[in-house]
Amino acid sequence: MQWARGMGAHAVAALVLLAPSAPYSHAVPVIAGVLLVYGLAVQATAIGGFFGRKSSAWIVGGSSVLALVALTGLAARDPETLQGLATRGELLLALFAHAVGGSFALLYFVMRRVRRLATRDALTGALNRVGFLEAAEAELSRARRSRSGIATLVLDIDRFKKVNDRFGHAVGDKVLTACAAAMRRALRKEDVLARFGGDEFVVLLPATTGAIAADLADRLRRTVADATYRIAGREIEISASIGVFATTGCVAPSLATMLERADEALREAKQAGRNRVRIVEPGTPGSRSRHASSPPAGPERLPIAQAVPV
């Protein structure tokens, strides 16, 4: 609404400058100048939404009053100069063009910021469900055209609810953020990482065969398990279970089906003991599994199963 008011003020200023000004030529710069300053102030307030309501009112009202006083004073002291500006409105027209151009530039950056907020998870910085579905559909279409391999991963942090129950949601959020950072280190640049909610993450692996998807998923599992999660001076042990569905573009089902099959593989991985990868490929009667070895020796680590009473 504020942005529209600012653009409206600019439009009226342009009409004032372009209208026949013989009867009121001395007032043209005052009217147009105030309108331009008012429009810029309103748009600046819309962009800087972090200001309080009182500050916004002072910006809009104060700048417009100052412009009115300054231009009216100039009209009283030096009417010939103001008359020159009225007959040669190039300066005010240039100011108007600058204001409109700057407005659209600011609007572009605001729209980019809004789009990022709409497609990114605020906590981890990974894509959210909307952003993932948009990116994944594009990759799936590319895989179908090129008949290349593609895979989806669904990852759950094991016993994450116990982390929240024992240490609180603030600590759980830190664990999620650290896990997401660890996943980025393990994934390739072209892979698409998203958080669907809670402790569930989803990854799309473009141009990937089943064997490569299994290797990447196992590397992802080991990276999450080997990362350090420090709570109150102690380290807790975090692991993840991963379900993988790998296919090729020539036989790829819908994205929803791929995610559903990967989710089924995830459930199998959890039922098989957690901290493992289960992979499903079209044409195979069942799923193949990769599971973890014992955690490496190091600083004192507190397994979640021991940290939280079941």
Side-chain angles (χ1 to χ4, degrees):
M1 187 62 183
Q2 283 183 320
W3 192 270
R5 287 213 318 266
M7 291 300 295
H10 291 162
V12 174
L15 291 174
V16 170
L17 288 172
L18 296 174
S21 55
Y24 53 94
S25 59
H26 62 283
V28 167
V30 175
I31 298 171
V34 170
L35 287 170
L36 287 170
V37 172
Y38 172 80
L40 287 171
V42 169
Q43 289 178 331
T45 304
I47 297 297
F50 54 87
F51 285 119
R53 187 170 297 178
K54 288 186 177 180
S55 299
S56 300
W58 278 107
I59 290 174
V60 175
S63 58
S64 301
V65 170
L66 286 176
L68 178 61
V69 170
L71 291 170
T72 304
L74 181 60
R77 293 179 57 185
D78 195 354
E80 292 184 1
T81 301
L82 205 58
Q83 180 69 25
L85 287 175
T87 55
R88 294 181 295 109
E90 291 86 354
L91 291 178
L92 287 176
L93 283 173
L95 177 60
F96 172 73
H98 173 74
V100 173
S103 297
F104 279 109
L106 289 172
L107 182 60
Y108 168 75
F109 288 111
V110 169
M111 290 177 64
R112 287 189 58 183
R113 175 64 175 166
V114 169
R115 176 172 173 75
R116 177 177 174 80
L117 291 174
T119 58
R120 291 278 172 182
D121 175 56
L123 178 64
T124 63
L127 291 173
N128 59 18
R129 184 184 294 269
V130 173
F132 176 83
L133 294 178
E134 182 179 320
E137 287 290 359
E139 290 293 345
L140 186 56
S141 297
R142 188 176 295 113
R144 285 170 176 154
R145 290 194 303 270
S146 62
R147 298 178 176 271
S148 58
I150 191 168
T152 52
L153 278 61
V154 179
L155 179 149
D156 253 11
I157 300 174
D158 297 329
R159 300 185 177 92
F160 180 72
K161 184 178 183 299
K162 294 184 177 181
V163 176
N164 281 333
D165 291 344
R166 174 64 188 274
F167 301 107
H169 289 278
V171 170
D173 288 348
K174 291 181 181 178
V175 170
L176 288 172
T177 303
C179 284
M183 292 178 207
R184 289 191 191 92
R185 293 195 297 270
L187 294 172
R188 304 167 302 180
K189 183 179 179 180
E190 63 269 24
D191 298 332
V192 182
L193 171 66
R195 179 184 174 219
F196 267 29
D199 61 327
E200 183 182 35
F201 291 85
V202 175
V203 183
L204 185 84
L205 305 176
T208 303
T209 63
I212 294 175
D215 288 338
L216 282 170
D218 197 53
R219 183 172 72 187
L220 192 63
R221 179 196 61 76
R222 286 185 279 108
T223 301
V224 171
D226 293 343
T228 299
Y229 308 93
R230 190 176 298 277
I231 304 292
R234 305 172 71 182
E235 291 180 12
I236 66 172
E237 184 178 284
I238 296 293
S239 63
S241 300
I242 305 176
V244 184
F245 177 74
T247 184
T248 58
C250 55
V251 295
S254 67
L255 180 60
T257 300
M258 293 179 65
L259 291 172
E260 185 178 325
R261 296 292 303 278
D263 196 55
E264 291 172 359
L266 170 65
R267 288 197 295 271
E268 292 182 13
K270 285 184 171 292
Q271 292 169 1
R274 295 185 173 87
N275 195 19
R276 63 191 65 219
V277 174
R278 185 79 72 169
I279 180 170
V280 177
E281 296 178 87
T284 58
S287 58
R288 295 184 284 115
S289 178
R290 295 189 179 198
H291 59 82
S293 58
S294 300
E300 179 191 1
R301 304 176 72 86
L302 182 62
I304 293 299
Q306 299 177 17
V308 183
V310 180

